[in-house]
């Protein structure tokens, strides 16, 4: 083995161990993970993709999937996959993330198109995040793609990537894209004391997907392939609205779906921001709990000097819209992985608040699409 390869491998493992020690609050007597527990240095070692992975075509046994409403990630395109251990299945839940067996891998790749108007020009893969279900729980691992787009390498410390693309309107865009470190994965995925997947839930997955054999409902496909047990027929399962598709639900349902996928991983009774008392799950029926005329728990810069999270009919007086519309690190929401404002999502939330014409009340028909 060439010397330089050996040194690079050792550095990756040292950084991995350092982050694990930091995450565990390591002190005297703390159990130290052994190098044998370290994850693969290269993404290709997982065997998820055909060839070098540049096309994101999954191999047999790796299931691609999509969500009704997806987390905004600075206008990146995202590709999602799940790989279960041979002969194992996930167990369905109507409300929570599916119960995946130990050994499951969930992968999400982030990319920018060269020109969103011309797909034939290709794209630049930025990173692939792996959620690996190990015997002691889930762990998040960021792999960064090389310039040649032939391989991605584990970088648990995270980084930034200067990126550029042309959007669907023909505008040249740039972004210093943030790859979170392995510890920051917990900032979104930790519920209570447990790290869990966020996307693979019935209400997010209950939609059709364009598989190679044709379009099929994802819950039905997973069940048919033996990847999921216990699921009802799709018309009996919950379904969240697609925030950008008016045909999928009311303005209320779509705004609540956007808030759930973008904010509720922290703002729920078990999330990292539970102390705020704000619950942005689409299923939350208490108007005060999801922000209407709810005062903030602290009146810092994040409140913008405003009195309530949501003031019906007045988005300009609502903290929720103020923070979603900011990229100031001391104000913006979400707090992690954000360089750009999701203008379309902000407009949806502002329209939703503006439509609340009567103080303390709002349209509830179809809320959450449940």
């Amino acid at each position: 083995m060439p010397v330089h390869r050996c040194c690079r491998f050792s550095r990756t493992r040292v950084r991995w161990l350092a982050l694990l020690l930091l995450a565990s609050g390591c002190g005297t007597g703390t159990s130290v993970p052994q190098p044998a527990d370290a994850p693969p240095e290269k993404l290709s070692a997982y065997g998820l993709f055909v060839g070098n992975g540049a096309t994101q075509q999954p191999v047999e046994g790796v299931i691609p999937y999509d969500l009704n409403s997806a987390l905004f990630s600075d206008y990146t395109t995202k590709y999602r996959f799940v790989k279960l251990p041979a002969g194992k299945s996930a167990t369905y839940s109507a409300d929570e993330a599916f119960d995946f067996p130990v050994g499951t891998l969930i992968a999400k790749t982030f990319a920018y198109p060269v020109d969103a108007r011309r797909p034939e020009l290709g794209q630049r893969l930025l990173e692939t995040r792996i959620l690996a279900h190990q015997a002691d729980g889930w762990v998040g691992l960021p792999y960064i793609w090389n310039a040649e787009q032939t391989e991605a390498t584990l970088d648990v410390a995270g980084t930034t990537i200067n990126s550029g693309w042309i959007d669907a309107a023909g505008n040249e865009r740039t972004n210093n894209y943030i790859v979170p470190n392995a510890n920051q994965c917990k900032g979104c995925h930790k519920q209570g004391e447990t790290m869990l997947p966020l996307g693979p839930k019935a209400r997010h997955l209950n939609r059709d997907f364009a598989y190679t054999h044709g379009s099929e409902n994802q819950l039905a496909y997973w069940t048919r392939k033996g990847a999921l047990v216990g699921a009802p027929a799709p018309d009996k399962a919950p379904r969240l609205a697609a925030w950008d598709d008016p045909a999928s639900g009311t303005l209320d349902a779509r705004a609540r779906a956007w808030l759930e996928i973008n904010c509720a991983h922290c703002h729920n009774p078990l999330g990292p921001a539970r102390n705020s008392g704000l619950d942005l799950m689409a299923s939350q029926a208490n108007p005060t709990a999801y922000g209407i005329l709810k005062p903030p728990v602290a009146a810092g810069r994040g409140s913008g000097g405003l009195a309530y999270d949501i003031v019906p009919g007045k988005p300009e007086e609502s903290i929720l819209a103020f923070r979603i519309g900011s990229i100031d690190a001391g104000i913006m929401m979400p707090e992690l992985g954000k360089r750009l404002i999701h203008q379309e999502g902000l407009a949806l939330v502002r329209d939703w608040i503006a439509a609340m014409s009567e103080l303390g009340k709002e349209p509830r028909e179809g809320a959450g699409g449940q």
Side-chain angles (χ1 to χ4, degrees), residues 54-79:
T55 63
Q56 292 290 287
Q57 180 184 349
V59 299
E60 183 69 24
V62 176
I63 302 175
Y65 68 93
D66 207 347
L67 308 180
N68 283 316
S69 284
L71 173 72
F72 172 71
S73 302
D74 282 359
Y75 290 105
T76 54
T77 300
K78 289 184 277 191
Y79 304 92

Side-chain angles (χ1 to χ4, degrees), residues 338-352:
K338 178 180 177 180
R339 295 280 199 201
L340 304 174
I341 297 170
H342 189 197
Q343 298 292 351
E344 297 80 6
L346 174 61
L348 176 70
V349 171
R350 289 180 61 87
D351 288 348
W352 174 60

Side-chain angles (χ1 to χ4, degrees), residues 343-368:
Q343 298 292 351
E344 297 80 6
L346 174 61
L348 176 70
V349 171
R350 289 180 61 87
D351 288 348
W352 174 60
I353 296 174
M356 300 177 192
S357 58
E358 186 176 352
L359 288 179
K361 295 183 179 180
E362 62 151 339
R364 287 295 304 159
E365 183 180 357

Side-chain angles (χ1 to χ4, degrees), residues 292-364:
I292 293 186
L293 298 180
K294 176 188 175 303
V297 295
R301 290 182 61 231
S303 72
L306 304 174
Y308 299 107
D309 289 339
I310 295 173
V311 179
K314 299 180 178 179
E316 70 280 4
E317 296 182 14
S318 300
I319 296 172
L320 205 66
F322 170 68
R323 302 193 74 169
I324 293 170
S326 176
I327 53 172
D328 184 317
I331 296 173
M332 68 182 186
M333 287 288 172
E335 293 180 328
L336 296 175
K338 178 180 177 180
R339 295 280 199 201
L340 304 174
I341 297 170
H342 189 197
Q343 298 292 351
E344 297 80 6
L346 174 61
L348 176 70
V349 171
R350 289 180 61 87
D351 288 348
W352 174 60
I353 296 174
M356 300 177 192
S357 58
E358 186 176 352
L359 288 179
K361 295 183 179 180
E362 62 151 339
R364 287 295 304 159

